[in-house]
């Protein structure tokens, strides 16, 4: 291995910044306040509020700074590649986060519920003779509830999310061809479809809690249903906010046909959320 | 590497703060690496003090110093502190300091994210230990008392210490994920021109696999503790059979993370070993490719063997057999690594400076960890060993002799590079011998205690275990206090000492040794080209 | 600082590590062979 000087390109190393440490302080307050709230001591709500304010301050400041750097041309191909790799592996962690909850769903459906229902055969006795061990269930001692059907709102929501995936790609084509109105129209449609999805989801939750008796406490079904759809809904919310930011940036003339990492990162995120929904629709609502 | 041309022009762009503000705001990989390593050393002593209290209680049968509840809290927080706040930050500190120097990169790829990754650690450490303090003021009943594994249903019923630990794990997880993303991006995107993946230093390869394991498994732990949180406070039934859930589901989710975590702690050390062994044997590393492929094989295998941690919890026989054989399969690539380490030393002109002593000590003692691991992997035998002191001894041979002593190898190896001073070789050797002897004095008796049937996580025990427990406690105190030598040696080396050259060790090879010691604030701003 | 080792010293160390390698290999082989004769 020999070395010689040749490569003259400079990588962009940002100035020292206070944002990371302030963000950590905000997250500490949020976590500590949350612990106080669920354990009934201290001014939990207010600590959480303070933490959220700090986090919001950092989000605006930090992203503002990054957008400023991007607009000033600090990022070239080398930095751009770093961001792309970074976003890909960040989405990979999100995939594994959902995998944990899907794993829990498959475990209860394939292993724990049938076992609880079928102890008689294997062990010659049954703790709960009246429990059939079929899905959906709230368990041997759970409350009665009506499971969520697949072909009402959920099917509609599937259509909404799939079309939003199409509109964001359509917007990308507009950006690549330098047709700004095409880009903005596509993004606006995507934000609209995302928000409509969230509205329907909120209605569905209301319906589940008030009319179906389907709550987080409704045994294994309620737990997996609400945690999976809930975390997915949270990600859709984040994605919609991110798309809205991209829309606003597009309106102020940001992004060019050859340099628009932020747009692509949000689009990737949106497609990821889309794919999670498809799996969710099949295994939580449908089969 | 024959010719050495270093390019270290001071970068005029940075407005560098002095004092505390420098550390709060820094985006420099060396500053962040220093913070990681300092934090790790401090938490090493915090976790160590906790376990010395535990060993003091175990010195003789009966309850002398503390109530069982407090004992349980100490062992759980000791483990979480040592794993998440001492060992993992030490490895990340190495990566921050050394990866850019070794691969010829101007800095880590995402410097602000890097700083955030570090500054998430202190809040998490505070969350972990705060319940102890709160309990003194009558709030809550102390830290989590479930052991570090959070097993349901104990953790579902536990006090608010469990909530603190859950949130701490979330924050630690975010920190590790950000660190891993940064390391992967740095290795993929910041290598010097001409440094192909198969010319990458083995330390970088070890860390690359570690980072992928963290990305694959930490989110699953986050999901598991989130389910625990909702089971505790929001009425879900993930781990409650009455609602159709299953406490064993928690064990599956936890160990899907927990087993790869062992390799997360060890792979950076395995990556660093060949560098040290080759330097002090004055010979090139033996079997570079074999080691790379072994790292990859171990990484892949480590995510499909998790259930060997709870063979006795109840599983169908085919599952038991599968997890037994897949676990044993890991010993094949691991044996390749051992072979390569030994072959690197064979026929070498070996000299025994402190890092080399630690490296050789590591090979011998970590070998014991591997062999006892094979015993535990056997389903039939495990029924006897499970949850006994045999397990405690086994994983301390893996994580102290493998992990911590590996980290010490790295610290002694690179400290002169970081500080520009040579540490005291005499104190270093004394530290090594005290550590090795007292480590074995502490943990070797625990194998026999376990074989004789002493269960772990118990503050009191039957009389026949008294002698070995007393020996173990004596060893633990010597071990704990010898580490003060380590801290003192580092401190005095940072403060001053004989100046060293850029190539600190005469047998050392690699880009990092072409830079001055200590390297200037910014290095490889103009990347070297590897031919 | 690494103490300077003379070439003769390094050569001696190379020979020593080669001998030790063979010795350890032989010990392992002997233990393995003994194991073949242990009946349970």
């Amino acid at each position: 291995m020999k070395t010689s000087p040749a490569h003259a390109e400079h990588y962009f190393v940002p100035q020292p910044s206070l944002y990371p440490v302030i963000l950590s302080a905000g997250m500490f307050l949020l976590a500590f306040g949350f612990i106080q709230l669920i354990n009934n001591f201290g001014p939990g709500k207010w600590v959480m509020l303070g933490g959220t304010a700090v986090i919001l301050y950092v989000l605006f400041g930090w992203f503002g700074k990054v957008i400023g750097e991007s607009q000033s041309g600090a990022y070239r191909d080398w930095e751009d590649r770093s961001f792309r790799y970074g976003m890909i592996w960040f989405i990979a962690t999100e995939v594994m986060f959902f995998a944990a909850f899907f794993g829990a769903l498959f475990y209860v459906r394939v292993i724990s519920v049938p076992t609880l229902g079928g102890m008689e055969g294997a062990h010659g006795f049954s703790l709960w003779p009246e429990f059939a061990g079929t899905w959906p269930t709230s368990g041997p001692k759970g409350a009665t509830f009506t499971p969520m059907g697949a072909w009402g709102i959920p099917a509609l929501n599937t259509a909404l999310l799939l079309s939003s995936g199409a509109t964001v790609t359509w917007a990308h084509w507009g950006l690549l061809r330098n047709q700004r109105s095409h880009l903005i129209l596509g993004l606006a449609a995507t934000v609209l479809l995302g928000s409509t999805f969230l509205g329907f989801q909120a209605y569905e939750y209301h319906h589940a809690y008030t009319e179906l008796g389907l709550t987080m406490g409704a045994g294994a079904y309620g737990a997996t249903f609400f945690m999976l759809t809930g975390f997915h809904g949270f990600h859709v919310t984040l994605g919609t906010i991110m798309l809205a930011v991209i829309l606003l940036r597009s309106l102020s003339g940001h992004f060019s046909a050859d340099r628009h990492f932020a747009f692509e990162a949000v689009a990737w995120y949106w497609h990821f959320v889309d794919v999670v929904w498809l799996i969710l629709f099949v295994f939580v609502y449908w089969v | 590497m024959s010719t050495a041309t270093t390019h270290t022009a001071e970068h005029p762009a940075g407005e560098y703060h002095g004092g505390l503000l420098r550390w709060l705001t820094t985006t420099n990989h060396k500053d962040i690496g220093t913070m990681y390593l300092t934090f790790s050393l401090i938490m090493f002593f915090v976790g160590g003090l906790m376990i010395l209290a535990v060993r003091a209680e175990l010195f003789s049968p009966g309850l002398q110093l503390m109530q069982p509840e407090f004992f349980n809290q100490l062992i759980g927080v000791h483990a979480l502190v040592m794993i998440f706040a001492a060992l993992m930050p030490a490895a990340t500190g190495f990566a921050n300091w050394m990866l850019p120097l070794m691969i010829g990169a101007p800095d880590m790829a995402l410097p602000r994210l890097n700083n955030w990754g570090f500054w998430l650690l202190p809040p998490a450490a505070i969350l972990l230990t705060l319940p102890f303090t709160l309990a003194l003021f009558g709030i809550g009943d102390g830290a989590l008392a479930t052991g570090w594994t959070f097993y349901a249903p104990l953790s579902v019923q536990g006090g608010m210490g469990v909530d603190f630990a859950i949130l701490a794990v979330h924050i630690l997880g975010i920190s590790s994920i950000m660190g891993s993303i940064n390391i992967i991006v740095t290795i993929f995107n910041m290598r010097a021109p001409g440094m192909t993946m198969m010319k990458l230093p083995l330390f970088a390869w070890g860390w690359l696999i570690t980072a992928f394991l963290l990305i694959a498994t930490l989110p699953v732990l986050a999901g598991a503790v989130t389910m625990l949180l909702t089971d505790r406070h929001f009425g879900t039934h993930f781990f409650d059979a009455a609602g159709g859930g299953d406490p064993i589901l928690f064990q599956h989710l936890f160990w899907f993370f927990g087993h790869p975590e062992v390799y997360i702690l060890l792979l950076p050390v395995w990556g660093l070993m060949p560098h040290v062994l080759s330097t002090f044997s004055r010979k090139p590393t033996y079997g570079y490719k074999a080691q790379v492929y072994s790292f990859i094989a171990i990484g892949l295998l480590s995510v499909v063997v998790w259930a060997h941690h709870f063979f006795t919890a109840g599983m169908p026989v085919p599952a038991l057999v599968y997890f037994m054989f897949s676990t044993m399969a890991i010993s094949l690539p691991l044996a390749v690594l051992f072979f390569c380490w030994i072959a690197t030393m064979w026929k070498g002109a070996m000299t025994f400076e402190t890092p080399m002593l630690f490296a050789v000590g590591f090979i011998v003692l970590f070998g014991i960890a591997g062999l006892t691991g094979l015993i535990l992997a056997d389903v039939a035998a495990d029924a006897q060993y499970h949850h006994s002191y045999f397990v405690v001894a086994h994983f301390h041979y893996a994580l102290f002799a493998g992990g911590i002593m590996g980290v010490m190898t790295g610290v002694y190896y690179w400290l002169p590079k970081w500080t520009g001073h040579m540490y005291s070789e005499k104190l270093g050797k004394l530290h090594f011998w005290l550590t090795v002897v007292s480590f074995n004095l502490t943990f070797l008796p625990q194998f026999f205690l376990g074989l004789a049937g002493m269960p772990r996580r118990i503050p009191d025990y039957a009389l026949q275990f008294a002698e070995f427990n007393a020996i173990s406690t004596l060893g633990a105190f010597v071990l704990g206090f010898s580490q003060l030598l380590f801290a003192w040696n580092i401190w005095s080396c940072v403060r001053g000492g004989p100046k060293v050259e850029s190539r600190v060790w005469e047998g050392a090879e690699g880009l990092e040794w072409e830079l001055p010691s200590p390297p200037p604030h910014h290095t490889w701003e103009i990347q070297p080209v590897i031919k | 600082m690494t103490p300077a080792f003379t070439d003769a010293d390094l050569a001696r160390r190379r020979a020593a590590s080669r001998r030790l390698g063979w010795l350890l290999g032989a010990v392992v082989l002997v233990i393995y062979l003994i194991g073949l004769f242990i009946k349970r």
Side-chain angles (χ1 to χ4, degrees):
Chain A
M1 204 158 37
K2 281 188 174 179
T3 65
S4 66
H7 199 60
E9 206 183 345
H10 274 274
Y11 191 78
F12 177 76
V13 177
Q15 300 284 325
S17 166
L18 261 178
Y19 288 128
V21 70
I22 300 177
L23 180 58
S24 300
M27 290 174 64
F28 174 78
L29 289 178
L30 186 61
F32 189 34
F34 180 65
I35 294 168
Q36 293 177 17
L37 188 70
I38 54 181
N39 286 292
N40 302 314
F41 74 96
K45 240 180 298 183
W46 301 106
V47 180
M48 281 180 80
L49 206 63
T52 312
V54 172
I55 291 171
L56 283 178
Y57 162 76
V58 173
L59 286 182
F60 276 94
W62 194 340
F63 277 110
K65 190 154 175 58
V66 170
I67 292 169
E69 284 168 2
S70 168
Q71 289 304 105
S72 72
Y75 307 150
R76 287 140 314 136
D77 287 349
W78 197 4
E79 291 82 3
D80 199 63
R81 231 170 15 243
S82 287
F83 300 148
R84 279 161 197 276
Y85 286 137
M87 189 67 193
I88 289 169
W89 293 110
F90 173 70
I91 291 177
T93 67
E94 294 273 46
V95 169
M96 289 312 293
F97 183 74
F98 277 99
F101 289 92
F102 277 111
L105 173 68
F106 297 145
Y107 185 91
V108 291
R109 286 187 65 164
V110 178
I111 297 178
S112 78
V113 167
T115 309
L116 287 170
M119 276 185 168
E120 204 152 3
H123 303 281
F125 77 103
S126 185
L127 286 174
W128 299 289
E130 71 286 2
F131 181 62
T134 51
W135 190 261
T137 179
S138 60
K141 291 281 169 196
T144 50
F145 69 98
T146 316
M148 188 62 73
W151 299 111
I153 289 175
L156 191 59
N157 266 348
T158 310
L160 285 175
L161 268 196
L162 283 178
S163 10
S164 77
T167 52
V168 79
T169 306
W170 190 68
H172 194 193
W173 290 349
L175 178 55
L176 290 176
R177 288 182 203 133
N178 252 328
Q179 295 165 343
R180 304 295 297 188
S181 55
H182 180 161
L183 160 72
I184 286 159
L185 199 64
L187 276 173
T190 315
V191 172
L192 197 68
L193 287 166
S195 316
T196 317
F197 173 93
L198 286 170
F200 277 134
Q201 189 81 349
Y203 171 79
E204 183 190 270
Y205 277 14
H206 180 75
H207 175 62
Y209 260 78
T210 52
E211 290 158 44
L212 300 181
L214 173 55
T215 65
M216 277 181 88
Y221 181 85
T224 50
F225 176 85
F226 278 103
M227 293 298 269
L228 275 164
T229 59
F231 271 115
H232 177 262
F234 176 66
H235 281 74
V236 175
T237 312
L238 286 184
T240 309
I241 294 171
M242 279 151 53
L243 282 166
V245 172
I246 296 299
L247 175 60
L248 290 177
R249 286 185 64 188
S250 304
L251 285 169
S252 3
H254 293 196
F255 307 127
S256 65
D258 57 347
R259 197 159 298 290
H260 50 265
F261 161 72
F263 178 97
E264 285 195 59
V266 172
W268 293 343
Y269 192 80
W270 194 251
H271 290 310
F272 150 72
V273 167
D274 211 352
V275 171
V276 170
W277 173 263
L278 288 180
I279 305 172
L280 222 151
F281 178 72
V282 173
F283 291 108
V284 175
Y285 291 98
W286 188 4
V287 294
Chain B
M1 209 154 307
S2 52
T3 53
T5 330
T6 48
H7 305 275
T8 52
E10 269 305 324
H11 195 33
E15 35 157 295
Y16 294 109
H17 304 290
L20 183 63
L21 210 53
R22 166 182 172 185
W23 302 102
L24 290 179
T25 62
T26 184
T27 49
N28 180 281
H29 73 100
K30 302 184 186 72
D31 283 355
I32 296 171
T34 304
M35 291 197 293
Y36 266 111
L37 289 164
T38 313
F39 177 80
S40 159
L41 187 63
I42 294 170
M43 296 313 285
F44 177 53
F45 281 99
V46 171
L49 278 177
M50 288 177 186
I51 211 61
L52 282 190
V54 164
R55 278 315 320 174
E57 169 60 48
L58 289 171
F59 182 71
S60 54
L63 292 181
Q64 284 89 22
L65 300 172
M66 58 187 78
Q67 291 306 304
E69 293 78 13
F70 187 60
F71 180 95
N72 289 344
Q73 295 169 19
L74 283 180
I75 54 166
V77 180
H78 158 77
L80 285 171
V81 164
M82 286 304 198
I83 291 168
F84 285 99
L87 212 39
M88 285 167 77
T92 319
F94 283 170
N96 262 297
W97 246 107
M98 298 314 294
L99 277 183
L101 303 189
M102 288 175 131
I103 66 174
D107 204 299
M108 297 295 278
L110 307 162
R112 270 183 299 231
L113 192 76
N114 200 10
N115 187 25
W116 185 39
F118 170 76
W119 280 107
L120 282 170
L121 291 178
I126 293 171
L127 282 180
L128 259 184
T129 48
L130 194 60
F132 286 123
T133 319
L134 287 179
L136 291 180
F137 294 99
I139 302 171
D141 44 10
L144 92 159
T146 64
W148 80 288
T149 51
F150 295 92
Y151 275 6
L154 183 60
S155 55
V156 178
Q157 297 152 356
M160 68 164 78
V162 180
D163 296 322
F164 274 95
I166 288 172
L167 270 292
V169 162
H170 271 304
I171 294 180
L172 291 164
I174 295 171
S175 162
S176 296
I177 284 173
M178 293 306 145
S180 305
I181 290 176
N182 205 356
I183 285 165
I184 291 177
V185 177
T186 304
I187 292 177
F188 280 168
N189 195 30
M190 307 291 285
R191 276 171 290 137
M195 180 173 278
T196 56
M197 286 307 270
M198 289 318 266
K199 283 184 186 167
L200 203 59
L202 278 168
F203 177 68
W205 261 112
W207 240 115
L208 186 65
I209 307 298
T210 302
F212 280 127
L213 286 178
L214 279 165
I215 277 182
T217 62
L218 258 178
V220 176
L221 175 69
V225 294
T226 304
M227 292 175 214
L228 186 57
L229 189 73
T230 56
D231 264 21
R232 283 169 58 79
H233 293 285
F234 303 99
T236 57
H237 296 84
F238 283 106
F239 311 126
D240 182 356
D246 187 352
I248 295 178
L249 169 60
F250 184 84
Q251 303 188 15
H252 281 284
L253 290 169
F254 181 86
W255 287 111
F256 181 80
F257 151 80
H259 191 74
E261 173 69 11
V262 178
Y263 298 97
I264 286 164
L265 297 169
L266 290 172
L267 271 163
V269 168
W270 297 343
L272 119 85
M273 276 308 147
H275 295 271
V276 179
L277 294 171
S278 133
T279 295
F280 295 103
S281 305
R282 290 161 183 78
K283 249 187 79 197
T285 302
Y286 180 88
Y288 173 91
K289 278 187 189 167
Q291 294 191 53
V292 170
Y293 297 144
S294 297
F295 289 168
I296 297 171
I298 291 170
L300 291 175
L301 280 171
S302 75
V303 287
V304 295
V305 299
W306 69 88
H308 64 229
H309 289 267
F310 46 99
F311 277 149
T312 57
M315 250 179 287
V317 170
L320 291 174
V321 171
Y322 160 73
F323 282 113
M324 171 169 78
F325 283 123
S326 57
T327 303
M328 290 184 169
I330 293 188
S331 62
L332 298 174
L334 195 51
V336 171
L337 289 182
F338 271 94
F339 182 81
C340 290
W341 296 334
I342 295 168
T344 300
M345 292 187 287
W346 190 48
K347 289 185 183 173
M350 290 162 71
T351 54
F352 295 92
E353 287 84 352
T354 310
M356 185 60 163
L357 282 179
F358 270 97
V360 176
F362 159 89
I363 293 176
V364 173
L365 296 177
F366 181 63
I368 296 178
L371 294 172
T372 51
L374 270 177
I375 297 171
L376 287 166
D378 186 302
V379 171
D382 183 68
Q384 182 191 349
Y385 304 136
H386 185 81
H387 210 268
S388 78
Y389 256 88
F390 191 88
V391 179
V392 177
H394 157 72
F395 70 68
H396 280 92
Y397 271 82
L399 296 184
F400 190 97
I404 301 271
M405 278 178 59
V407 167
M408 286 169 177
T409 311
V411 169
Y412 281 114
Y413 185 55
W414 285 322
L415 195 59
K417 170 54 68 185
W418 299 332
T419 61
H421 306 299
M422 185 50 82
Y423 56 84
S424 156
E425 194 64 62
K426 203 194 258 174
L427 274 185
K429 289 199 164 101
L430 183 64
H431 170 228
F432 168 76
W433 287 112
L434 277 173
T435 301
V436 161
V437 171
S438 58
F439 167 80
N440 283 296
L441 201 60
T442 310
F443 292 105
L444 205 58
Q446 295 184 3
F447 281 123
F448 299 106
L449 284 171
L451 288 172
M454 178 166 165
R456 59 190 286 214
R457 291 174 171 164
I458 291 288
D460 190 4
Y461 49 83
L463 289 177
Q464 72 265 30
F465 304 131
E467 286 81 4
F468 275 180
N469 267 299
I471 296 170
S472 183
T473 296
L474 282 178
F477 272 82
V478 179
L479 183 59
F481 283 97
S482 342
Q483 303 318 313
L484 293 173
L485 278 181
F486 182 50
W488 170 252
N489 209 354
I490 293 173
W491 175 245
S492 28
C493 180
V494 171
R495 294 295 299 276
K499 292 260 178 293
V500 292
E501 296 154 18
S502 14
R503 192 176 300 275
V504 177
W505 314 106
E506 61 173 72
E509 295 281 340
L511 283 180
E512 69 273 30
W513 306 107
E514 321 236 326
L515 295 163
S517 311
H521 203 58
H522 290 287
T523 41
W524 301 131
E525 282 198 294
I526 296 167
Q527 290 195 291
V529 176
I530 316 290
K531 284 176 187 148
Chain C
M1 194 66 49
T2 321
F5 293 98
T6 61
D7 284 347
D9 192 30
L10 291 179
R12 190 182 58 74
R13 284 166 185 273
R14 263 189 287 275
S17 77
R18 193 186 68 226
R19 274 198 308 276
L20 187 65
W22 283 119
L23 183 70
L24 286 175
V27 169
V28 170
L29 188 68
V30 167
I31 293 174
Y32 180 78
L33 291 176
I34 292 173
L36 292 180
F37 294 96
I38 293 179
K39 294 275 182 291
R40 271 183 294 179

